[in-house]
Amino acid sequence: GLKGAVGTYASFKRMLEGRASPAILEEKVMKRMGLESFPIASQTYPRKLDYLILSTLASIAQSCHKFAFDLRLMQSPAFGEMAEPIKEEQVGSTAMPFKRNPTSAERICSLARYIGVLPMVAFSNAANTLLERTLDDSANRRVIIPEGFLALDECLILYERIMKGLRVYPVMVKRNLERFGAFAGTEPLLIKLVERGEDRQKMHELIREYSFKAWEKVMNGEENPLPKMLKSDPIIRSKMKPDEVDELLDPQVHIGDASERCGIFIKEVVTPIFSKYKDRLGKKGKSLF
């Protein structure tokens, strides 16, 4: 604001004595500039503000990084369920022509890591402000603040580009569920056995032993034998029919209330945000790289 050399309005108070309040002058000037003033300041505004701003940017960058890192895993051959859009002429490796590197996701992660460390610089600036001010924050502030915004802007541009062209491979999803889905179904199976009178700890150990044996088979390239193992066990057979076991192990019944929860999230969280910022929707940024 306009508070003078040490933030006391002293010089303005003498200059305006008998004519107006320094606070009114500050209010008029700041209004003309379209800015808000700090209620209390010394020679500079509190450097904590830089820390709060960069922490917010870092928080958004962390979400971008989590998304991009997960996508990189899902694009790997071991999963193969999703992939970022790739141009036909894109070269993944000069040595290995087959490679389809997730370059956009990798760039998000790279930039997000950079953004994530910027708040620590702002923390040091704020914590090491000597009495009223110090000039040892000036040089790095000229870098960390604009570059923080620019780097995050690029992360979000890349994020949008990926989502618009995201590829999903249902066949690979089905293959992975066939290999591993039955393991997740052992929890409802355990619950059902307990409901029908079996000892929980004994059933837990029984299922654990079968699961470990089945896991070794899967890791050796065989089909998952767990459903067959469980249906053949005499204790489990005495409590439920084979069809019941298959139903409990079916991955399609493991989604719980995910679809309903998604609908509620869209309605109660996402839609209000879209409504609040509807005047900003559709505006596009331009990639720097």
Side-chain angles (χ1 to χ4, degrees):
L2 270 68
K3 293 179 172 61
V6 292
T8 63
Y9 289 127
S11 58
F12 293 111
K13 188 174 182 179
R14 285 194 298 271
M15 181 180 69
L16 299 171
E17 188 172 2
R19 289 183 292 166
S21 165
I24 294 177
L25 173 64
E26 179 182 56
E27 181 182 352
K28 289 184 177 180
V29 172
M30 300 305 287
K31 184 177 181 180
R32 184 80 174 267
M33 296 175 67
L35 300 172
E36 294 183 7
S37 62
F38 287 88
I40 297 176
S42 59
Q43 290 193 38
T44 63
Y45 70 82
R47 294 310 189 218
K48 180 182 285 288
L49 180 65
D50 298 348
Y51 175 71
L52 294 175
I53 289 173
L54 287 169
S55 293
T56 300
L57 299 185
S59 177
I60 300 171
Q62 178 272 314
S63 297
C64 293
H65 188 289
K66 179 66 168 63
F67 158 76
F69 199 44
D70 283 348
L71 179 59
R72 289 165 63 189
L73 292 175
M74 297 304 289
Q75 183 166 323
S76 67
F79 290 96
E81 296 183 8
M82 297 180 184
E84 67 175 44
I86 295 177
K87 296 179 181 179
E88 291 184 5
E89 67 275 12
Q90 181 172 319
V91 177
S93 168
T94 56
M96 294 174 280
F98 73 91
K99 293 193 74 175
R100 299 165 59 91
N101 291 348
T103 56
S104 294
E106 289 172 342
R107 281 158 58 195
I108 289 177
C109 291
S110 181
L111 291 169
R113 289 177 195 167
Y114 170 69
I115 300 167
V117 302
L118 297 183
M120 289 307 301
V121 182
F123 172 92
S124 295
N125 288 343
N128 293 316
T129 298
L130 305 172
L131 300 178
E132 292 186 359
R133 71 168 300 186
T134 178
L135 287 174
D136 65 4
D137 65 346
S138 179
N140 68 53
R141 289 178 64 252
R142 297 167 191 263
V143 176
I144 62 174
I145 296 175
E147 288 196 357
F149 277 98
L150 289 170
L152 181 61
D153 196 35
E154 180 68 10
C155 285
L156 296 174
I157 291 170
L158 291 168
Y159 201 137
E160 181 184 30
R161 181 186 303 166
I162 290 173
M163 289 306 299
K164 284 185 175 180
L166 183 67
R167 300 179 182 182
V168 180
Y169 300 101
V171 173
M172 295 299 293
V173 175
K174 182 179 179 182
R175 188 201 70 172
N176 290 335
L177 287 174
E178 288 173 349
R179 292 184 67 196
F180 302 107
F183 292 111
T186 57
E187 181 185 18
L189 176 64
L190 174 62
I191 293 173
K192 186 62 67 174
L193 288 169
V194 174
E195 286 180 354
R196 297 185 179 180
E198 291 298 326
D199 181 88
R200 186 190 185 283
Q201 289 305 111
K202 290 181 179 179
M203 291 300 97
H204 184 282
E205 180 61 21
L206 180 70
I207 295 173
R208 186 189 69 83
E209 290 179 357
Y210 282 130
S211 297
F212 275 42
K213 291 178 181 178
W215 187 270
E216 286 298 316
K217 297 286 186 181
V218 172
M219 291 298 101
N220 281 291
E222 301 180 30
E223 292 186 6
N224 194 335
L226 183 61
K228 185 177 180 180
M229 289 179 174
L230 295 172
K231 288 186 290 185
S232 299
D233 181 82
I235 298 177
I236 296 176
R237 285 167 51 192
S238 69
K239 295 297 180 179
M240 60 185 67
K241 298 178 181 179
D243 290 345
E244 288 184 275
V245 176
D246 287 332
E247 183 179 352
L248 289 169
L249 298 179
D250 186 354
Q252 295 188 57
V253 302
H254 300 168
I255 61 174
D257 66 346
S259 58
E260 292 84 357
R261 190 183 299 273
C262 179
I264 294 172
F265 179 76
I266 294 295
K267 180 180 179 181
E268 297 183 359
V269 179
V270 177
T271 300
I273 294 175
F274 280 2
S275 298
K276 183 177 180 180
Y277 298 105
K278 60 182 179 181
D279 58 320
R280 302 185 188 182
L281 296 178
K283 294 184 179 180
K284 297 182 179 180
K286 186 176 181 181
S287 177
L288 299 176
F289 304 102

